[in-house]
Amino acid sequence: MLRLPSFTYRQPKTLRDALAMKADAGPEGMYVAGGTDLYPNMKRRHQEPKTVISLMGVPELQAVGRSGGQAVGGIQIGTCITLTDLAARPAVRQSAYHAVAEAAALVSTPLLRNMGTLGGNLCLDTRCNYYNQSFEWRKAIDFCMKKDGAICWVAPSSPRCWAVSSSDVAPVMVAIGAEFVLVGPGGERVVPADRFYNNDGINYLTKQPDEILSAVRLPPPDGWDAVYHKLRRRGSFDFPVLGVAAWIRWEGRGTRDGGRVVEARIVLGGVASHPQEIGDAGAALVGSTLSDEAIAAAADAAFHPSKPMDNTDFDLSWRKQMTRVYVTRALEEVRLRRG
Ligand SMILES: Cc1cc2nc3c(=O)[nH]c(=O)nc-3n(C[C@H](O)[C@H](O)[C@H](O)COP(=O)(O)OP(=O)(O)OC[C@H]3O[C@@H](n4cnc5c(N)ncnc54)[C@H](O)[C@@H]3O)c2cc1C
Ligand code: SF4
C-alpha cells in the first residue's frame, strides 16, 4: 500500500490568509483543492510538500456569477467548484458553454468528480508512463528528468521532458478563449487560457507556485459553438490519450441558410505537454459552411502536427491516426448542432 508522507495541513478561510500561509511555508508549501491529483502524487513522492494549504474553505473560490474584464457578458466561475457541480450547472450545461460541462463530465469517475475541482483540473500535473509509477518503480529505472533523475526515457537524447497534458477541461478553455484570473502576493492578473500553459512536461504552467488560480472567465456567448471529444481506453474511467476541442464562430443563421464560419479553433489534448492549438486546422474552416471537404481539410491539417509520444496508453501511430477521426467527428457534431 502506498502511504502519504506526514505533512502540515492548513485551512485558510480567505484568499489573503491562503497567500500568507504559502509565504510562511515557502517552496515546501503547496495548494490543494480536491486532492485527487496531488495526494496520489504525494504517495508516489512526485511532489513532497511539507505544508499543504487547502483552498476549499475560501468562499469566493466557489462563486459563480457574471464576468468582468474582456469577458464582460460571459460568466466567471470560481475554481474550487467541483467537476460534478460544474457539469450540472444549468448556466454551463444548457448554454453556449455546454462543451465545458461535457468535458468536466468526461473526467474519470463520479467519485473523483465529486472531489476534483475545476482549478485542480486546469493545473493537473503532466503524465507519462515512466513517471506515474511508485517511488520504488521509478527508483528501479534510476528515475527520470521530471523527478529525481537526469534522463528522459521516452526520448533519451532530449533535453526536455515530454510528459503529456492530460486535462479534459483545459483544451476546451483554450479553444473557447477563456481567461484565467490569478491572485498572488503582488495582486491579481488575468491571462488568456493558452498563455497559462507551456509546452514543457516539467514547467507546464506559466503560473508562479505562490499564485492561486482563483477564477475562470468564459467569454460572452455571441455566435459561437464548441464541442469536446475524448479518446481513452475505458469510457468510464481513464485519462484522455487524445482530446479534441473544436470552437466555431458563425456568421448568418443555419448552414442551410448560407451561414458561414468566420473564425475557428481546433485544440488537441493528450498529444503534447500543453493543450495544442492547430492553427491550420482552424484556418481550413474559415469561409466554409462546414462542408465535408472543409472538415476533411481541417482533419488533415490536425493530423500532421499531432505528434503523440510513446508515453501513454495505446500504440502511438494509431493515436495519431485517431486525430483525423476525432477532429472529423467533433466538427460533424458542430455542423449537426447548427442544423
Ligand atoms: C484514477 C484517476 C483518473 C483520472 N482521470 C482523469 C481524466 O479522465 N481526466 C482528467 O482531466 N483528470 C483525471 N484525473 C485527475 C484529477 O482527478 C482531475 O483532473 C481533477 O479535476 C483534479 O482536481 P483536484 O481539485 O482534485 O486537484 P488537486 O489534486 O487538488 O490539485 C492538482 C494540482 O493543482 C494545484 N491546484 C489545485 N487548485 C489550484 C488553484 N485553485 N490554484 C492553484 N493551484 C491549484 C495543486 O497544487 C496541484 O498541484 C484522474 C485522477 C485519478 C486518480
Ligand atoms: S517524458 Fe521523459 S522526462 Fe518526462 S516524465 Fe516521461 S520519461 Fe520522464
Side-chain angles (χ1 to χ4, degrees):
M1 180 197 282
L2 298 180
R3 290 184 188 281
L4 274 172
S6 62
F7 59 91
T8 302
Y9 184 67
R10 307 207 60 187
Q11 293 175 285
K13 295 281 176 254
T14 64
L15 273 177
R16 195 191 185 136
D17 286 352
L19 291 169
M21 289 174 187
K22 175 70 178 91
D24 282 350
E28 301 209 313
M30 277 188 82
Y31 298 117
V32 72
T36 63
D37 184 48
L38 182 65
Y39 292 139
N41 282 1
M42 286 172 66
K43 289 181 180 178
R44 296 182 295 235
R45 308 305 190 257
H46 293 134
Q47 282 103 44
E48 302 179 272
K50 297 280 179 280
T51 303
V52 173
I53 302 152
S54 171
L55 299 173
M56 297 305 278
V58 178
E60 65 190 277
L61 297 180
Q62 310 270 353
V64 178
R66 280 205 235 137
S67 190
Q70 287 187 25
V72 170
I75 61 171
Q76 175 160 319
I77 305 174
T79 49
C80 282
I81 183 173
T82 65
L83 295 171
T84 299
D85 193 359
L86 180 64
R89 289 257 169 168
V92 180
R93 191 162 53 93
Q94 295 161 6
S95 70
Y97 310 120
H98 61 90
V100 173
E102 283 153 17
L106 286 170
V107 173
S108 63
T109 66
L111 285 178
L112 286 159
R113 292 195 294 275
N114 288 345
M115 293 291 293
T117 64
L118 171 62
N121 190 265
L122 298 176
C123 296
L124 186 68
D125 196 3
T126 52
R127 297 180 62 80
C128 171
N129 287 343
Y130 294 91
Y131 172 72
N132 294 102
Q133 305 288 352
S134 67
F135 180 85
E136 288 71 24
W137 191 103
R138 293 187 297 116
K139 189 177 175 194
I141 60 162
D142 200 20
F143 303 102
C144 79
M145 196 189 289
K146 185 159 158 75
K147 183 69 181 16
D148 300 323
I151 195 170
C152 172
W153 293 108
V154 176
S157 58
S158 169
R160 59 159 284 197
C161 163
W162 298 87
V164 176
S165 169
S166 304
S167 160
D168 279 305
V169 184
V172 178
M173 292 300 180
V174 174
I176 69 175
E179 294 176 334
F180 290 1
V181 182
L182 295 166
V183 180
E188 182 181 294
R189 66 187 179 107
V190 179
V191 296
D194 64 334
R195 297 232 310 271
F196 187 70
Y197 298 100
N198 280 325
N199 191 16
D200 181 310
I202 297 173
N203 297 309
Y204 55 92
L205 298 181
T206 57
K207 180 183 94 56
Q208 297 303 309
D210 51 3
E211 285 181 309
I212 296 169
L213 175 58
S214 65
V216 172
R217 292 176 180 167
L218 306 185
D222 51 0
W224 57 264
D225 194 10
V227 298
Y228 178 69
H229 283 221
K230 169 176 182 174
L231 171 67
R232 56 179 161 177
R233 186 176 291 268
R234 295 168 295 182
S236 59
F237 198 105
D238 286 323
F239 281 90
V241 290
L242 171 68
V244 174
W247 175 91
I248 302 287
R249 186 191 295 286
W250 293 98
E251 176 189 69
R253 297 171 70 82
T255 47
R256 290 193 203 101
D257 311 322
R260 290 191 179 268
V261 176
V262 285
E263 230 181 322
R265 281 192 288 270
I266 305 291
V267 180
L268 305 181
V271 296
S273 300
H274 68 154
Q276 184 182 0
E277 184 182 350
I278 311 289
D280 287 348
L285 300 169
V286 173
S288 80
T289 56
L290 276 195
S291 60
D292 287 347
E293 294 72 24
I295 289 177
D300 201 44
F303 169 78
H304 291 289
S306 168
K307 294 197 170 76
M309 302 292 285
D310 195 10
N311 59 353
T312 64
D313 199 2
F314 293 126
D315 175 76
L316 73 112
S317 64
W318 183 78
R319 279 166 57 212
K320 181 172 170 65
Q321 288 172 46
M322 285 301 105
T323 308
R324 196 177 254 133
V325 175
Y326 274 66
V327 169
T328 303
R329 286 181 189 168
L331 291 170
E332 284 175 349
E333 188 192 332
V334 180
R335 183 172 63 188
L336 193 66
R337 290 173 57 81
R338 181 72 173 170

